[in-house]
Amino acid sequence: MVQAHSALDEVNSSGEFKRNDSIFRDFISKDSTQFRPAATRYHLYISYACPWATRCLAVLHMKGLQEVISVSVVHPTWQRTKPDDPEDEHCGWVFADSAKVSAVTSSTGMGSFNIADSTVDHVNSCTTIRELYTIAGDSLGKYTVPILWDKESSTIVNNESAEILRMLNSEFNEWAAHPNLDLYPESMKSAIDAVNEWVYPAINNGVYRCGFALTQPAYDSALEELYSSLDRVEKILSTQRYIAGNVVTEADIRLFMTLIRFDEVYVVYFKTNRKCIREYPNMFNYIKEIFQLPGVSQSINMAHIKTHYFTSHPKLNVYAIIPGGPCIDYSSAHDRGLVVPV
Ligand SMILES: N[C@@H](CCC(=O)N[C@@H](CS)C(=O)NCC(=O)O)C(=O)O
């Protein structure tokens, strides 16, 4: 039987957060017999709160694929996914229908959270992300976004953001408004892979390793690794405009999605408070530059980001109170044009 669980349950006996690998890993490509590139065949399920899902959404907008791949957006506050079954306490992503409800509470009945910018499931009319996994024959029991869905065969093609991002970058150029934008160019593949190799465990997943740790040593070592890697980013950005070189690549989109959530959420919620990102001049200006690239700001919804983290895990924030600050303006001027490449 499938054991429903969430990321909060993925902790080992030392209290360290250990993220399970995604299990739907098919690729859309011209050579695939099952999943060929096509306009309007595929659908993306996202949460605006989720740094993994919004990587994909940012690339969808940057490439100009809005007419090619449709998108549904879950409500930021996790709810009981089987509310009628008292035995099943799983909480996760749900769709909120603004025609039926105007606000939701946390899964334990705290607060009242607006549903602006959330949508229904436009393709399957499901009420939870869990139902989509059931349709696709899931056996793991972890119901994550993003999901790249195939409308033709009614299944999940892929639920790993790093791979979805690559498909959006390269497999839909026939219909893309910006087919020449390549975020994973041949000449930079090894540099990008090398950056992803340390940014993922130490920073992207590193903030979760701090926030979901159940013991002091687990938190301490994740925090150490996080801040030594942030120092490394700051140093690289002092001589290089982008993280893998002097052009924007997927490595920037991946890094940016964690950095833009850092001061607003992680500093408080995940206890990553040794330093804020706005205390690092290069990184702070870099976030603004990436935010201002065409298409990227459409993937950032700070209300959803803050609402999700602070209202979804009663174990971590009993009363679901959302902190008021710091409300940073990422559209203000940046100085990244002044970085002189070495
Ligand atoms: N490896 C996945 C991770 C996705 C992921 O963990 N998404 C979170 C949202 S930020 C989620 O949906 N969590 C649901 C849960 O933990 O039950 C990816 O990069 O696509």
Side-chain angles (χ1 to χ4, degrees):
M1 203 183 109
V2 178
Q3 184 58 50
H5 67 282
S6 80
L8 288 168
D9 304 308
E10 295 179 336
V11 180
N12 70 10
S13 56
S14 304
E16 296 163 329
F17 173 57
K18 294 280 179 197
R19 186 184 294 276
N20 279 326
D21 286 341
S22 309
I23 58 164
F24 292 91
R25 307 297 285 268
D26 281 310
F27 262 83
I28 297 168
S29 93
K30 282 207 162 72
D31 303 326
S32 166
T33 46
Q34 210 183 346
F35 300 113
R36 296 263 170 80
T40 72
R41 170 171 169 179
Y42 299 100
H43 187 77
L44 187 64
Y45 288 100
I46 64 131
S47 156
Y48 277 125
C50 171
W52 320 101
T54 47
R55 293 171 165 183
C56 305
L57 186 66
V59 174
L60 188 149
H61 281 277
M62 291 172 87
K63 295 285 295 188
L65 289 169
Q66 296 90 318
E67 305 299 318
V68 180
I69 293 165
S70 44
V71 177
S72 298
V73 182
V74 292
H75 188 273
T77 304
W78 284 1
Q79 303 285 303
R80 295 277 295 271
T81 56
K82 295 260 170 121
D84 299 331
D85 181 351
E87 306 281 295
D88 190 322
E89 293 182 358
H90 176 263
C91 292
W93 301 114
V94 302
F95 296 94
D97 186 348
S98 54
K100 294 190 186 135
V101 280
S102 57
V104 301
T105 65
S106 81
S107 61
T108 50
M110 298 293 170
S112 172
F113 311 109
N114 197 290
I115 65 161
D117 303 324
S118 308
T119 72
V120 292
D121 170 0
H122 302 99
V123 175
N124 295 289
S125 305
C126 288
T127 54
T128 68
I129 286 287
R130 181 176 181 174
E131 285 171 58
L132 294 167
Y133 276 83
T134 304
I135 296 172
D138 168 69
S139 57
L140 181 66
K142 189 180 174 197
Y143 311 117
T144 57
V145 288
I147 295 174
L148 187 59
W149 183 268
D150 177 22
K151 296 183 211 170
E152 208 167 286
S153 58
S154 273
T155 196
I156 297 174
V157 180
N158 196 300
N159 69 338
E160 172 50 51
S161 60
E163 294 173 357
I164 298 173
L165 186 163
R166 295 236 172 117
M167 290 180 237
L168 299 181
N169 179 56
S170 62
E171 301 309 313
F172 295 89
N173 282 337
E174 211 173 304
W175 307 278
H178 307 292
N180 296 328
L181 173 72
D182 187 359
L183 296 165
Y184 191 53
E186 199 58 49
S187 62
M188 292 190 67
K189 280 185 178 165
S190 56
I192 295 168
D193 291 346
V195 167
N196 291 344
E197 184 108 355
W198 57 271
V199 167
Y200 170 75
I203 299 180
N204 301 139
N205 199 39
V207 291
Y208 285 89
R209 287 169 52 218
C210 294
F212 290 167
L214 293 188
T215 60
Q216 190 71 48
Y219 163 81
D220 288 345
S221 69
L223 193 78
E224 213 44 61
E225 207 186 316
L226 170 66
Y227 277 92
S228 62
S229 301
L230 290 176
D231 289 343
R232 185 172 173 186
V233 170
E234 180 67 6
K235 194 152 174 249
I236 292 171
L237 294 180
S238 69
T239 57
Q240 206 171 271
R241 188 148 175 183
Y242 304 105
I243 193 64
N246 283 305
V247 290
V248 177
T249 67
E250 63 160 47
D252 296 297
I253 304 304
R254 292 170 49 134
L255 174 60
F256 163 83
M257 288 302 171
T258 299
L259 297 184
I260 198 163
R261 286 161 174 74
F262 205 96
D263 290 7
E264 299 285 355
V265 174
Y266 301 148
V267 167
V268 176
Y269 198 63
F270 283 169
K271 308 182 193 79
T272 57
N273 63 349
R274 194 177 274 174
K275 232 167 136 178
C276 291
I277 300 294
R278 58 195 189 282
E279 295 173 75
Y280 296 90
N282 292 305
M283 263 193 283
F284 188 39
N285 278 284
Y286 168 83
I287 307 179
K288 292 183 189 178
E289 180 182 10
I290 305 296
F291 177 77
Q292 292 168 32
L293 292 173
V296 174
S297 63
Q298 284 94 315
S299 68
I300 303 301
N301 183 319
M302 204 49 86
H304 274 227
I305 292 172
K306 291 182 71 167
T307 303
H308 165 62
Y309 286 97
F310 288 103
T311 70
S312 292
H313 319 116
K315 242 206 262 187
L316 299 185
N317 193 19
V318 177
Y319 299 106
I321 287 167
I322 306 170
C327 307
I328 297 163
D329 177 11
Y330 290 104
S331 59
S332 62
H334 64 81
D335 67 2
R336 297 301 294 160
L338 302 175
V339 177
V340 183
V342 284

